[in-house]
Amino acid sequence: MAASSADLADDGFAAPRLFSQGVSYTYDDVIFLPGYIGFPADAVDLSTRLSRRVMLSVPCVASPMDTVSEAAMAAAMASLGAAAVVHCNTEPHAQAAIVRAAKSRRLPFVSSVPFFSPSSAPTLNDFAGNEYAIVTERGDSLSRLVGVAVAADAASREVPVAVSEYMRPTPRSASASFDFEKAAAFLADEGLDYAPLVSDDGEVVDLITARDVERIRSYPKLGKPSLGADGKFVVASSIGTREDDKGRLEQLVKAGANAIVIDSSQGNSIYQLDMIKFAKKMYPEVDLIGGNVVTIAQAQNLIEAGADGLRVGMGSGSICTTQEVCAVGRGQATAVYKVSSYAKDHNVPVIADGGISNSGHIVKALSLGASTVMMGSFLAGSHEAPGTYEYKDGHRVKKYRGMGSLEAMTKGSDARYLGDTLKLKVAQGVVGAVADKGSVLRFIPYTMQAVKQGFQDLGADSLQSAHDLLRSETLRLEVRTGAAQVEGGIHGLVSYEKKSF
């Protein structure tokens, strides 16, 4: 006997009912009930918007943190169809240089290859672990390319000598506008082990090697990249809310940033509203993303000021202690649902920022109304994250710190917490370490495949379809007890090895 409509209506809760009970829910607190599968998982379309006018094919965004997002992360994420937001915990000219470096190429990596002049006499340490170095007239990227130095040749010298004595003639250079497949074909066709990448205006951008090609071919095939109207990688960048950030904003716009994120832990302030209005007046062609917010009232103020996107989350990040220190914030599932329910009526995409530990959290964030998810710790241990690996208790790790940690605040991030004018600094974050995760070029595609399978189980063949199911109240949810959360995880085993892919 078929179930009646009344039976179906009583099976689980629609989102409006669940989130109207005055309870602050995290992602782990809620679970979706499965829908009907009528399509293969590979048919799921995850294309979305970062902001009103910036399109992505993958709903992932790297957080503007100094242990997460610099040039290497920005190039890798854009090559996957996602995006990164370059952090502002550095001097404006340095931040603008990071944006230009990421946008100057179509390859999914940024190497740390050093530059030498012909008269310099580097030691092997000066190669910083690189097999090659680029030699230009003045030892910088803007002067004429004259050769390539090989670390093995430097190592064979008993004492350091001028690079000009052993540098190799410059092979044919490749265009910096080549995508990965074109660059790989160039090396193969020319029979080269390496080739400098040179832009149309003569700047030496990087060096690609046969080993790079082999490494990237070992990862899942690159999909549709995130490209702006100029045909270059989409790269977003962050600013603060202080007067001197107006100068930073100008430099970032000139560097080609596709979107600007106003970075503040509590976005509903006169400082941010004024900055949004200023930026929209001066640079109407650039999308402004405001935040962070967790309530409809906060969102309303930022949208009325002109925000083209919203970051949602306060105190939900793994290294954030805002809720503990300041007693403000909201469970991330509730925050994402509430804000996105309001923002959708104003055509403003929502970025679910924080609380992402696994692919299931991504499915929940997107299905609750977010257009993208922003990740910090999820990406911090990757090859593309800034910093070097070290070993701790036998594990290979990288440092990961909250921008509210005292360590980060000493570099200027205290403005994010409106603490730059205070005599006493109070931390709202910690410094920690995350395990080596390998390259984002490998684990993000696998993570997105898991997200597609989650959408398939819900009966949603696209991000828009998931949002439609949510708003039509077809998507049903339940609250999980503590025991249900234990049952839904790995349990009852003496030992196990967990490999996601």
Side-chain angles (χ1 to χ4, degrees):
M1 178 175 164
S4 67
S5 58
D7 291 334
L8 294 174
D10 288 338
D11 201 359
F13 292 91
R17 182 181 174 190
L18 182 70
F19 290 107
S20 63
Q21 301 174 20
V23 179
S24 192
Y25 292 118
T26 68
Y27 293 137
D28 285 336
D29 288 328
V30 298
I31 194 75
F32 293 121
L33 303 187
Y36 171 73
I37 297 176
F39 51 87
D42 285 339
V44 174
D45 178 10
L46 294 178
S47 60
T48 187
R49 292 185 298 165
L50 173 67
S51 54
R52 287 187 200 268
R53 295 171 292 186
V54 179
M55 304 300 298
L56 304 177
S57 57
V58 170
C60 296
V61 185
S63 181
M65 305 174 73
D66 59 8
T67 50
V68 177
S69 293
E70 291 188 350
M73 183 66 74
M77 292 294 280
S79 72
L80 292 168
V85 183
V86 176
H87 72 86
C88 58
N89 208 26
T90 186
E91 293 299 319
H93 68 87
Q95 186 183 9
I98 292 171
V99 173
R100 283 193 294 270
K103 292 182 69 72
S104 66
R105 69 200 66 225
R106 285 286 304 279
L107 294 178
F109 66 88
V110 175
S111 75
S112 56
V113 58
F115 284 77
F116 300 139
S117 67
S119 61
S120 61
T123 66
L124 186 59
N125 287 339
D126 293 324
F127 281 79
N130 290 280
E131 189 176 358
Y132 303 100
I134 296 172
V135 184
T136 62
E137 285 184 337
R138 297 192 304 269
D140 59 37
S141 65
L142 298 177
S143 55
R144 187 174 66 89
L145 178 67
V146 295
V148 173
V150 181
D153 294 340
S156 66
R157 310 282 170 160
E158 292 185 2
V159 295
V161 298
V163 169
S164 58
E165 293 191 20
Y166 60 87
M167 72 179 186
R168 302 184 183 186
T170 304
R172 282 195 59 193
S173 59
S175 171
S177 65
F178 282 177
D179 62 18
F180 171 70
E181 292 300 335
K182 285 184 179 179
F186 177 85
L187 286 181
D189 293 344
E190 298 292 329
L192 300 174
D193 289 329
Y194 55 85
L197 298 171
V198 181
S199 66
D200 292 340
D201 59 7
E203 181 179 2
V204 185
V205 171
D206 210 329
L207 186 86
I208 184 171
T209 70
R211 187 171 296 182
D212 292 327
V213 172
E214 182 181 357
R215 174 176 61 87
I216 293 169
R217 290 222 187 277
S218 71
Y219 303 141
K221 186 176 176 62
L222 295 171
K224 180 182 177 182
S226 302
L227 301 177
D230 57 0
K232 297 181 179 180
F233 278 160
V234 167
V235 179
S237 204
S238 63
I239 63 171
T241 59
R242 297 313 193 193
E243 188 66 26
D244 56 5
D245 282 294
K246 293 178 179 178
R248 182 186 295 270
L249 172 63
E250 180 182 8
Q251 291 195 44
L252 295 174
V253 172
K254 288 181 178 178
N258 299 86
I260 297 295
V261 173
I262 302 180
D263 194 21
S264 179
S265 66
Q266 211 282 55
N268 189 28
S269 70
I270 186 63
Y271 315 109
Q272 181 157 156
L273 297 177
D274 286 347
M275 182 61 75
I276 291 174
K277 293 172 184 176
F278 170 83
K280 294 302 293 183
K281 178 181 178 180
M282 297 298 297
Y283 310 103
E285 74 282 5
V286 179
D287 276 8
L288 264 291
I289 298 171
N292 280 34
V293 299
V294 293
T295 71
I296 291 174
Q298 289 177 300
Q300 181 179 11
N301 283 344
L302 269 58
I303 290 173
E304 289 178 352
D308 300 298
L310 293 174
R311 282 172 76 189
V312 175
M314 193 170 183
S316 56
S318 63
I319 41 64
C320 185
T321 60
T322 297
Q323 293 186 17
E324 175 185 325
V325 173
C326 298
V328 291
R330 200 172 204 174
Q332 189 66 343
T334 299
V336 169
Y337 173 73
K338 291 287 190 180
V339 174
S340 62
S341 295
Y342 175 81
K344 69 177 174 56
D345 295 331
H346 301 271
N347 191 33
V348 174
V350 161
I351 303 170
D353 177 19
I356 301 295
S357 299
N358 53 55
S359 59
H361 290 163
I362 298 175
V363 173
K364 291 176 181 179
L366 298 175
S367 299
L368 288 171
S371 294
T372 56
V373 294
M374 181 172 278
M375 299 175 289
S377 64
F378 199 84
L379 303 174
S382 68
H383 292 173
E384 291 77 11
T388 58
Y389 287 108
E390 56 187 57
Y391 284 89
K392 188 173 184 178
D393 298 328
H395 299 284
R396 194 167 187 250
V397 300
K398 266 189 180 180
K399 178 189 285 188
Y400 176 53
R401 68 185 184 191
M403 300 309 289
S405 66
L406 291 177
E407 183 176 288
M409 283 184 174
T410 60
K411 286 197 169 186
S413 69
D414 50 352
R416 184 178 191 273
Y417 302 86
L418 305 181
D420 53 323
T421 60
L422 302 179
K423 294 181 179 179
L424 301 179
K425 308 294 184 185
V426 178
Q428 293 187 41
V430 300
V431 178
V434 288
D436 176 9
K437 286 193 171 184
S439 174
V440 298
L441 299 175
R442 183 169 186 260
F443 71 77
I444 288 295
Y446 279 102
T447 301
M448 290 302 99
Q449 185 61 35
V451 171
K452 288 184 176 183
Q453 290 174 210
F455 271 53
Q456 182 190 40
D457 283 344
L458 293 175
D461 63 3
S462 68
L463 200 54
Q464 183 59 53
S465 174
H467 291 176
D468 291 343
L469 291 173
L470 175 73
R471 290 157 192 161
S472 67
E473 301 189 8
T474 303
L475 189 64
R476 314 295 286 188
L477 304 89
E478 288 182 345
V479 177
R480 296 202 295 175
T481 64
Q485 292 183 39
V486 171
E487 183 182 70
I490 300 168
H491 61 280
L493 302 177
V494 174
S495 64
Y496 66 89
E497 181 181 15
K498 186 176 181 179
K499 288 186 177 181
S500 299
F501 50 82

